[in-house]
Amino acid sequence: MSHHLIPRGVRRGGGRRALAVTTAGALALTAGALGAGSAAAADAPEQVTNGGFDDGLTGWNAYPAASVVDGRGCIDVPAGSGPYSAAITQLVPLLAGETYALSVDMLTEPATEANVRVVVQAGPDRNYEQFLPAQKAPLTPQEQTFRWTFTPSVDYPNAELAFQQDISNAGAYRLCVDDVSLTGGAEPGEYVPDTGPRVRVNQVGYLTEGPKKATVVTDATTARPWQLRQDGTVVARGRTVPAGFDPSAGVDVHTVDFSRVRATGEGFTLVADGETSYPFAIGDDIYDELRVDALTFFYTNRSGIEILDPIASGYGRAAGHVGVAPNQGDTAVPCQDLADDSQLLFDEPWTCEGTRDVTGGWYDAGDHGKYMVPAGIALATMLSQHERTLHADVVTDGALGDSTLRVPETGNGVPDILDEARWKLEWMLKMQVPEGQQYAGMANHKVADVDWTGLPLDPAADPQRRVLYRPSTTGTLNLAATAAQGARLWAPYDEAFAAELLEASRTAYAAAKATPDLLVPAPDAALDPNPGSGPYDDPDPSDEFYWAAAELFITTGEQQFQRDLVASPHHTGDVFTADGYDWGNVAPLGRMDLATVPNDLRDRNRVRLSVVKAAEQYLADAASQPFGHPYAPPEGDYVWGSNSQVLNNMIVLATAYDIRGQQKYADAVVEGMDYLLGRNALNNSYVTGYGTVFSENQHSRLYANQVDPSLPNPPDGTIAGGGNSTTAQTGDPVSTPLFSDGCAAQTCYVDDIGSWSTNELTINWQAPTAWVASFLADLGDGTPTR
């Protein structure tokens, strides 16, 4: 599926998120008189990006209801909002001993007494006494200019400049700021990431009998000697192979192949061109822990249940969105209000009567929304991870059985992975419109906050009103497909639940066929139709119809579903694109299940060959990449959440291995994981807790340690989104300024909690991480065992 240019404030794989940093540090500040004050020297460098809002909200985090009005950055603050629940913020660098001059034009409509404060804050704790002394004054619809000067006592590379709600407000108001300027300190330099040693390896390790390759960043034009050392002792030698310039990384590189090495243990390093890699291991159990850790994320991301610290140490919290104040959901959630501005994008305004209980499920990403479309592909991938253990030849018996994962249901006689999947399946069933209502049998597209919240924010503390969005054909077909798959997998363990799933699937499929074009409107740059949540718009549901028909046919064997899937253009079309499949392109899910799960499809051999053909193309793509990953998108542009595309291509390769048993497909999966675990342009492992240098500040309200050290980082095994070639056009407050002059695709990434376009976490990126980790763990030492 093509990826559209996303207007500011709208997301595909990630989304606009407000960053409400609440930590403080020691700043010595002097307030100037309102409307006057000390001015910085004329040549003092400017630290604020887009202070005049000429480029929309680029560079700013603003919430709730952010917009640019008459050239000013504005937020609309509802009545009854609590302290710090509304703000316009930006991260700025500060140097100790430098004097800074801050100036801003502000107004509110209507006038406010003391609701707004200006603050510069940073540091490792929440010492509010060390904030800029309260800079508050009555604001009116008449714009006023304010100026202050201050001198930090220590360096702050990411201090927060904030114009924020200070006390609860009785009435609604609009806050607008303009011509924001912070001058002083050093001239902002060009962003240069710290990429460590130029020798790039899988920082976790390599399988004993598997491929072992690395990449060396070097300008050398001829082969260079390399050494593999273990605890300082040389165990292998060779010479690099020049690979030339890699446009995806923006550097010249050589490759290293030390696959012949069979030594095992810890403490290996690779030395080449005067550089020494980060350490790594060689062994047979490299991926065993990741198989479990990658699935733990789903438990800690559950909604509607208390997360128990004894199960997931460090992640215990109260149940979120169970109707306990300040939550306003999810036990009795109304539908969209007919007066909601987002209704303007629908052909016909829509609402429904009464409320629905939609508790449960998983929080989708960095926000608290729950969406049918990403839920579908995430759940299908998880179910397929289990289903593979039933039909593939190379699996580890019992590795995903009962009492193998960190879930509260463990020990109930059901595979833990199915228990985790059930938590989401039951939520999806609740999203199905009941009989007697408009669009009965279809599924509401999502349940979410009515507006963006700041971070950090514990789900149990979310004060936003929750609403159900209009049903969609795509959301309904995601229910039909996953419920059908779930029905056949749950049948051996709970016949009643399996029957309920199959009935819901049949109903959803019939409802979607009756209303095949109830689509989510495409985002409008002038009107954000999804304040507080992502749109997940998709103009073509034909791939969802194919996928749902395939799953229903596999489960039931009924000819009506075979007729439907065979008639689909996706049945014989090329559904495996260079970009990889995603939530907007789900036909490969149906194609791979038809190829690997026993069924009586009359042209099943052709389907199996089509998967192998796709894998051959991904093999060629991997061979063309000096970093070894199976991803060569059109024009070299990495999409939002590119790491998930890499992973999904790896699933296609692994499926070809299950079909044909040829080692080349398994080896390509191994090398793809090398890229994700450190063999990349940034020398960064994108999996939290794995490797020497790894992503740990993914954009999340839950796992917000970067802004509140009392909170955890994401759980070990959590994947980050990865390089995004379009990040400079997204309005991402962190990455847009950093990459405004462009970036090589792999390097368009920053491990910062504010960078939602490169560093978010999502269930639909996490699920393929777990699937691939399980496949690799099944390989053991890397030797085929067929």
Side-chain angles (χ1 to χ4, degrees), residues 570-662:
H570 297 287
H571 188 56
T572 55
D574 184 6
V575 299
F576 298 101
T577 66
D579 251 347
Y581 65 91
D582 59 13
W583 60 260
N585 172 24
V586 293
L589 296 175
R591 184 80 66 88
M592 288 189 290
D593 279 357
L594 288 168
T596 57
V597 181
N599 64 83
D600 294 326
L601 183 69
R602 55 178 176 262
D603 63 343
R604 185 163 179 249
N605 285 337
R606 184 199 60 76
V607 169
R608 288 166 66 86
L609 288 173
S610 74
V611 177
V612 174
K613 179 181 178 181
E616 286 293 328
Q617 181 57 57
Y618 293 144
L619 281 179
D621 290 344
S624 72
Q625 301 300 307
F627 289 90
H629 55 307
Y631 187 55
E635 310 301 325
D637 291 332
Y638 282 31
V639 299
W640 201 322
S642 62
N643 285 342
S644 72
Q645 310 301 105
V646 175
L647 285 159
N648 287 338
N649 288 351
M650 291 160 67
I651 289 178
V652 177
L653 287 160
T655 303
Y657 174 73
D658 287 341
I659 293 171
R660 284 290 180 86
Q662 291 179 272

Side-chain angles (χ1 to χ4, degrees), residues 689-716:
Y690 282 78
T692 300
V693 177
F694 50 79
S695 300
E696 61 179 346
N697 296 309
Q698 288 94 319
H699 181 84
S700 169
R701 284 156 178 73
L702 276 172
Y703 316 117
N705 177 269
Q706 184 179 350
V707 295
D708 183 351
S710 70
L711 297 174
N713 292 109
D716 286 353

Side-chain angles (χ1 to χ4, degrees), residues 466-726:
R466 307 276 278 182
V467 293
L468 283 164
Y469 280 70
R470 190 185 76 171
S472 68
T473 302
T474 52
T476 301
L477 290 167
N478 273 266
L479 170 61
T482 54
Q485 186 178 13
R488 64 178 179 261
L489 296 177
W490 266 96
Y493 304 101
D494 187 334
E495 291 184 2
F497 183 54
E500 181 184 7
L501 288 171
L502 185 55
E503 180 181 3
S505 175
R506 291 180 183 276
T507 299
Y509 187 72
K513 291 187 72 173
T515 312
D517 55 358
L518 194 65
L519 305 179
V520 175
D524 187 308
L527 177 65
D528 184 352
N530 297 274
S533 58
Y536 291 102
D537 58 300
D538 184 349
D540 180 12
S542 62
D543 53 317
E544 282 87 358
F545 272 110
Y546 175 72
W547 173 33
E551 299 298 347
L552 277 161
F553 173 69
I554 294 170
T555 298
T556 68
E558 294 175 11
Q559 291 305 301
Q560 60 171 320
F561 301 121
Q562 180 168 220
R563 286 192 296 271
D564 285 353
L565 73 89
V566 169
S568 169
H570 297 287
H571 188 56
T572 55
D574 184 6
V575 299
F576 298 101
T577 66
D579 251 347
Y581 65 91
D582 59 13
W583 60 260
N585 172 24
V586 293
L589 296 175
R591 184 80 66 88
M592 288 189 290
D593 279 357
L594 288 168
T596 57
V597 181
N599 64 83
D600 294 326
L601 183 69
R602 55 178 176 262
D603 63 343
R604 185 163 179 249
N605 285 337
R606 184 199 60 76
V607 169
R608 288 166 66 86
L609 288 173
S610 74
V611 177
V612 174
K613 179 181 178 181
E616 286 293 328
Q617 181 57 57
Y618 293 144
L619 281 179
D621 290 344
S624 72
Q625 301 300 307
F627 289 90
H629 55 307
Y631 187 55
E635 310 301 325
D637 291 332
Y638 282 31
V639 299
W640 201 322
S642 62
N643 285 342
S644 72
Q645 310 301 105
V646 175
L647 285 159
N648 287 338
N649 288 351
M650 291 160 67
I651 289 178
V652 177
L653 287 160
T655 303
Y657 174 73
D658 287 341
I659 293 171
R660 284 290 180 86
Q662 291 179 272
Q663 186 67 14
K664 62 181 179 179
Y665 301 123
D667 286 351
V669 179
V670 173
E671 291 189 54
M673 187 58 85
D674 292 345
Y675 169 81
L676 296 172
L677 293 176
R679 187 190 172 195
N680 52 59
L682 294 178
N683 206 6
N684 177 67
S685 168
Y686 288 105
V687 181
T688 303
Y690 282 78
T692 300
V693 177
F694 50 79
S695 300
E696 61 179 346
N697 296 309
Q698 288 94 319
H699 181 84
S700 169
R701 284 156 178 73
L702 276 172
Y703 316 117
N705 177 269
Q706 184 179 350
V707 295
D708 183 351
S710 70
L711 297 174
N713 292 109
D716 286 353
T718 301
I719 192 78
N724 178 2
S725 296
T726 67

